[in-house]
């Protein structure tokens, strides 16, 4: 049986919001879902098309992890990501999908990576139930 | 004149997109939709490719890092909405020794079969740790070489493996000594046994196939040798376990055994079983290794395989030495003992680039073994996911045999060509004569001493070597 490498849940993670990204697993299985983490230079690089492509490929959810408001290295990347995530939610609702399938989390590099792992675990639990 | 050894290469595109170094972040919401948008003027067509990729590909953001870093768009955008960023995934490639640049250059060589040309000058430091602290002397590069290394000039890259006689003796005009067994490799390198994580799917078969096609030798652990093709018997070198009698491998041209207190008895029993088979002893590099190698060679061992760790360091608790220093130390000790020309020294570990192979030979090794670069050729990312039991993101185990064979062949072709280029530029026409030829290189500590020693005295901090 071929090993699954395409994600059920895609996590787009800003590289600046985790202090030791090396310790964060890049992929894992939880609640029957395959989760894949992709690092971004800034969540301002996300685009609605990126998010929707994941759904086209069969993903059940996409999560964008950005820096706390006002803490973006590029000043406004997290704000712009929020706008795009909001728009993606709107589009999903319009086509009859659940808007909760796209989520956004905030995490500061001052917080521990374990805290982020816990947040992601909770988010995956929620999405896998959809 | 014998036929030239040549490795035939042809381009083989990667299965997965290569991680690029640079990307652009843009605030699309602020775009003024100018008629003469800087994106249209990108000389590398990055934005055009990105738009196409965005519609057609599902590579999850891989394609955003194709920027070449010219900064034209960043500087000229009237709304200042573009920012150049470095790809974190690129920076995470490899490890402390196999740096992202090494991975990219190896992928390029495996894809194109051509020598990479960096161009635009060299922007980095002029020395670094390990092999970067020795420079080869390319002064002969100005010598007219008629039609070059691929023309009429003949540069021999083959080396001999085995014991050589230090003199001949005759009785009544007849040769009175029997020549010990010797095998020849067309390049001063062998394929090392693969680290356990990579022993999966088609990978071992691909490497065995390339070794057979190119006439190179590949070391394989005894228990990993399956029902091999009869044509591969001559190129596979079994690495025997401790206490193994090697009866199953009487047809192999050479076997390697690990060093142990009774290693000489094991060598003798293996030679008694078949005298024409070369027996090599594998010794772990350590601060006292030179003495051990000298005693083994003095006792009649014909080949010594000196093993360093993956980053080319010896096994020592404090300040482990690099391959270049360990091999020089061993080579020097053998010269002093007067036995250097009688034996073959194979160095393993720390060979990541073709110049490392040449530099290790200059330091005194006859040949080297490589493993990780071969895996890089079939697109390994060295991400380490397999070590944690996670699935391979590029499905290395499913690599097609023909595809993998061509990629590794391309890599070997470029390594051969780079060895020719370096030897041509150093004015050496024979790889056997390159061994221990330190007159053809410079060591940074020597140069520093010559240039600054009189002014500043002895160096007060350690060299980073």
């Amino acid at each position: 049986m071929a090993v699954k490498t395409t994600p059920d849940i895609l996590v787009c993670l800003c590289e600046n919001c985790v202090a030791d990204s090396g310790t964060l697993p890049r992929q894992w299985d939880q609640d029957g879902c395959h989760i894949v983490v992709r690092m971004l230079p800034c969540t301002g690089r996300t685009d609605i098309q990126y998010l929707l492509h994941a759904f086209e490929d069969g993903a059940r959810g996409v999560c964008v992890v950005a820096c706390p408001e006002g803490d973006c290295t590029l000043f406004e990347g997290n704000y712009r990501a929020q706008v795009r995530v909001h728009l993606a939610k709107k589009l999903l609702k319009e086509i009859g999908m659940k808007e909760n399938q796209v989520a956004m989390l905030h995490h500061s590099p001052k917080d521990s990576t374990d805290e982020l792992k816990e947040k992601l675990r909770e988010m995956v639990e929620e999405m896998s139930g959809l | 004149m014998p036929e030239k050894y040549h490795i035939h290469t042809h381009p083989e595109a990667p299965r997965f997109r290569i991680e690029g170094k640079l990307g652009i972040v843009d605030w699309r919401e602020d775009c003024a939709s100018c008629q003469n948008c800087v994106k249209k003027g990108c000389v590398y067509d990055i934005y055009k490719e990105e738009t196409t990729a965005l519609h057609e590909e599902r590579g999850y953001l891989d394609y955003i890092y194709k920027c070449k870093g010219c900064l034209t768009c960043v500087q000229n955008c009237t709304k200042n909405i573009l920012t150049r960023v470095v790809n974190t995934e690129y920076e995470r490639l490899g490890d402390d020794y196999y740096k992202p640049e090494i991975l990219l250059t190896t992928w390029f060589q495996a894809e194109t079969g051509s020598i990479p040309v960096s161009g635009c000058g060299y922007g980095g430091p002029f020395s670094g740790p390990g092999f970067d602290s020795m420079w080869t002397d390319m002064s002969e590069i100005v010598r007219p070489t008629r039609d070059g290394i691929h023309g009429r000039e003949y540069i021999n890259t083959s080396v001999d493996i085995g014991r050589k006689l230090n003199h001949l003796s005759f009785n009544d005009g007849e040769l009175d000594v029997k020549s010990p067994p010797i095998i020849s490799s067309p390049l001063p390198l062998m394929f090392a046994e693969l680290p356990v994580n990579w022993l999966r799917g088609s990978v071992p078969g691909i490497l065995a196939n390339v070794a057979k096609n190119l006439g190179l030798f590949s070391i394989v652990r005894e228990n990993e040798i399956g029902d091999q093709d009869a044509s591969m018997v001559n190129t596979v070198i079994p690495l025997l376990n401790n206490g193994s009698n090697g009866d199953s491998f009487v047809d192999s041209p050479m076997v390697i055994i690990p060093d142990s207190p009774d290693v000489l008895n094991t060598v003798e029993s293996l030679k008694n079983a078949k005298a024409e088979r070369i027996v090599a002893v594998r010794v772990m590099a350590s601060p006292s290794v030179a003495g051990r190698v000298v005693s083994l060679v003095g006792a009649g061992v014909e080949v010594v395989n000196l093993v360093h760790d993956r980053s080319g360091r010896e096994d020592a608790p404090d300040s482990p030495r690099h391959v270049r220093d360990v091999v020089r130390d061993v080579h020097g000790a053998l010269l002093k003992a007067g036995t250097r020309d009688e034996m073959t020294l194979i160095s393993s570990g720390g060979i990541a680039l073709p110049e490392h192979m040449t530099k290790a030979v200059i330091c005194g090794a006859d040949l080297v073994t490589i493993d990780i670069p071969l895996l890089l050729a079939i697109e390994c990312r060295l991400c380490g996911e397999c070590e944690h039991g996670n699935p391979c993101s590029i499905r290395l185990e499913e690599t097609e045999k023909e595809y993998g064979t061509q990629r590794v062949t391309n890599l070997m072709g470029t390594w051969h060509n780079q060895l020719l280029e370096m030897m041509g530029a150093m004015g050496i026409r024979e790889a056997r004569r390159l061994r221990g030829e330190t007159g053809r290189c410079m060591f940074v500590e020597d140069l520093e001493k010559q240039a600054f020693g009189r002014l500043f005295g002895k160096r007060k901090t350690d060299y980073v070597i």
Side-chain angles (χ1 to χ4, degrees):
Chain A
M1 195 183 82
V3 181
K4 189 169 174 57
T5 49
T6 52
D8 289 319
I9 293 176
L10 176 70
V11 178
C12 298
L13 174 69
C14 168
E15 61 164 313
N16 301 307
C17 71
V18 272
D20 50 350
S21 58
T23 61
L24 192 75
R26 315 294 296 281
Q27 50 182 336
W28 70 92
D29 292 317
Q30 183 193 325
D31 301 330
C33 288
H34 184 63
I35 297 108
V36 171
V37 177
R38 290 294 308 195
M39 300 288 280
L40 290 174
C42 172
T43 40
R45 191 63 176 92
T46 49
D47 190 281
I48 293 169
Q49 290 196 63
Y50 297 154
L51 305 178
L52 297 184
H53 274 171
F55 290 108
E56 279 180 17
D57 261 13
R60 287 151 73 175
V62 175
C63 177
V64 178
V65 184
C67 302
E69 283 175 27
D71 274 0
C72 177
T73 315
L74 300 182
F75 301 112
E76 47 187 312
N78 51 2
Y79 163 70
R80 291 181 185 265
Q82 203 159 7
V83 171
R84 290 165 197 174
V85 166
H86 184 69
L87 193 55
K89 279 175 183 270
K90 226 169 132 183
L91 285 171
L92 286 180
K93 199 176 173 187
E94 272 181 27
I95 59 172
M97 290 173 78
K98 289 180 177 138
E99 58 178 9
N100 294 358
Q101 284 177 284
V102 183
M104 186 153 179
L105 293 177
H106 291 283
H107 184 77
S108 166
K110 292 168 198 157
D111 301 332
S112 74
T113 312
D114 289 338
E115 207 174 303
L116 174 64
K117 284 181 196 168
E118 183 57 28
K119 281 182 198 169
L120 287 174
R121 199 186 56 75
E122 282 170 17
M123 186 274 307
V124 169
E125 251 175 40
E126 193 185 313
M127 279 186 177
S128 59
L130 292 173
Chain B
M1 197 170 182
E3 195 185 337
K4 280 187 175 178
Y5 179 72
H6 185 69
I7 297 173
H8 295 277
T9 61
H10 73 75
E12 189 70 59
R15 294 180 302 150
F16 294 90
R17 188 177 285 278
I18 291 171
E19 293 282 0
K21 186 177 181 183
L22 301 167
I24 297 288
V25 171
D26 60 329
W27 308 143
R28 293 178 187 208
E29 292 85 358
D30 292 354
C31 177
S33 301
C34 307
Q35 283 287 323
N36 55 343
C37 178
V38 287
K39 290 184 175 181
K40 289 179 192 163
C42 175
V43 291
Y44 300 106
D45 276 345
I46 302 301
Y47 296 101
K48 195 176 164 191
E49 275 190 23
E50 185 187 286
T51 314
T52 317
L54 209 54
H55 287 293
E56 292 172 1
E57 287 202 21
R58 299 292 180 269
Y60 292 112
L61 319 176
D62 289 348
Y63 45 83
I64 64 178
Y65 294 109
K66 301 260 300 182
C67 175
K68 304 288 182 197
C70 68
L71 292 171
T72 307
C73 59
V74 175
Q75 285 178 329
N76 294 343
C77 176
T78 52
K79 297 284 284 179
N80 282 331
I81 61 168
L82 303 174
T83 310
R84 193 190 71 173
V85 288
V86 178
N87 182 3
T88 325
E89 300 284 342
Y90 170 81
E91 288 184 319
R92 286 166 58 123
L93 284 174
D95 52 34
D96 288 346
Y97 195 74
Y98 287 88
K99 299 233 166 14
E101 292 80 13
I102 293 183
L103 267 67
L104 264 195
T105 188
T106 306
W107 288 337
F108 175 85
Q109 291 170 63
E111 180 183 344
T112 61
S114 315
I115 300 175
V117 179
S118 52
C120 300
Y122 174 66
F126 284 96
S127 77
F131 286 119
D132 289 345
S133 60
M134 65 184 282
W135 310 324
T136 48
D137 179 355
M138 302 287 203
S139 54
E140 296 291 328
I141 206 162
V142 294
R143 193 170 147 253
T145 50
R146 301 215 290 186
D147 41 11
I149 56 166
H150 299 298
R152 280 163 284 181
E153 216 170 359
Y154 191 90
I155 298 176
N156 187 358
T157 56
S158 68
V159 289
D160 298 325
I161 306 164
R163 192 171 188 87
K164 290 104 184 173
L165 296 171
N166 61 2
H167 67 279
L168 297 176
S169 61
F170 296 89
N171 189 8
D172 288 339
E174 296 289 317
L175 195 61
D176 196 28
V177 285
K178 198 179 169 201
S179 177
I182 274 192
I183 53 176
S184 191
S185 170
L187 281 175
L189 69 84
M190 281 183 179
F191 292 180
E193 74 280 12
L194 289 179
V196 180
N197 291 329
W198 282 278
L199 280 174
R200 51 182 208 262
S202 55
V203 178
I206 288 170
L207 301 187
N209 202 28
V210 176
K212 187 191 80 173
N213 294 347
L214 302 183
L216 298 170
F217 296 101
S218 64
I219 303 170
V220 184
R221 290 183 198 88
E222 180 182 8
N223 49 334
E224 287 155 14
I225 300 177
D227 298 329
Q228 55 182 332
D229 189 338
S231 60
M232 287 186 184
V233 172
N234 291 329
T235 55
V236 170
I237 295 176
L239 173 62
L240 303 184
N241 300 325
N242 248 331
S244 169
N245 57 18
D247 282 349
S248 320
F249 310 108
V250 280
D251 293 330
S252 300
M254 175 172 149
V255 291
I256 300 178
I257 55 171
D259 190 17
S260 64
D262 66 338
V263 71
L264 294 174
N265 294 333
T266 316
V267 172
E268 195 181 345
S269 65
L270 286 165
K271 291 301 270 186
N272 287 341
K274 192 177 182 189
E276 295 77 35
R277 182 174 55 182
I278 297 166
V279 181
V281 176
R282 171 167 284 197
V283 184
M284 299 305 292
S286 66
S288 59
V289 72
R292 178 64 183 157
V293 174
V294 170
S295 69
L296 284 172
V297 175
V301 170
E302 35 196 3
V303 178
V304 173
N305 179 199
L306 193 58
V307 180
H308 307 80
D309 69 9
R310 184 164 130 168
S311 55
R313 296 279 164 183
E314 66 179 356
D315 184 17
D318 299 315
S319 312
R321 293 174 300 168
H322 188 257
V323 182
R324 52 155 257 183
D325 298 314
V326 179
V327 171
R328 283 180 82 193
D329 183 24
V330 172
H331 178 72
L334 288 164
L335 282 177
K336 265 188 194 162
T339 50
R340 181 63 189 95
D341 286 336
E342 295 173 24
M343 58 84 70
T344 304
L345 182 63
I346 304 172
S347 172
S348 296
I351 307 297
L353 291 166
E355 62 259 34
H356 295 175
M357 170 177 70
T358 315
K359 287 175 177 178
V361 173
I362 288 173
C363 286
D366 286 282
L367 65 165
V368 296
T369 69
I370 55 167
D371 48 7
I372 306 288
L374 302 171
L375 298 162
L376 297 180
I378 44 178
E379 294 187 79
C380 179
R381 260 66 175 158
L382 290 186
C383 61
E385 289 292 316
C386 54
E387 289 168 22
H388 301 117
N390 290 326
C392 178
S393 60
I394 57 150
R395 300 190 289 278
L396 200 68
E397 58 280 354
E398 293 171 22
T399 310
E400 282 175 27
K401 198 172 176 184
E402 290 74 25
Y403 164 82
T405 303
Q406 189 55 54
R407 295 269 301 188
V408 181
T409 306
N410 285 350
L411 184 72
M412 286 299 98
T414 58
W415 279 47
H416 179 234
N417 284 342
Q418 283 170 89
L419 178 63
L420 289 177
E421 291 281 0
M422 289 184 80
M423 286 174 62
M426 287 189 280
I428 289 178
R429 302 280 174 268
E430 172 80 50
R432 295 179 185 96
R433 292 190 60 193
L434 186 65
R435 187 201 71 198
E437 182 61 86
T438 46
R440 282 282 162 229
C441 79
M442 292 163 279
F443 294 92
V444 72
E445 63 269 26
D446 296 341
L447 294 176
E448 204 175 67
K449 198 172 160 189
Q450 282 171 21
F452 303 116
R454 281 190 300 167
L455 295 172
F456 303 112
K458 201 177 169 190
R459 201 175 213 283
K460 292 168 187 72
T461 55
D462 288 338
Y463 290 103
V464 190
I465 50 177

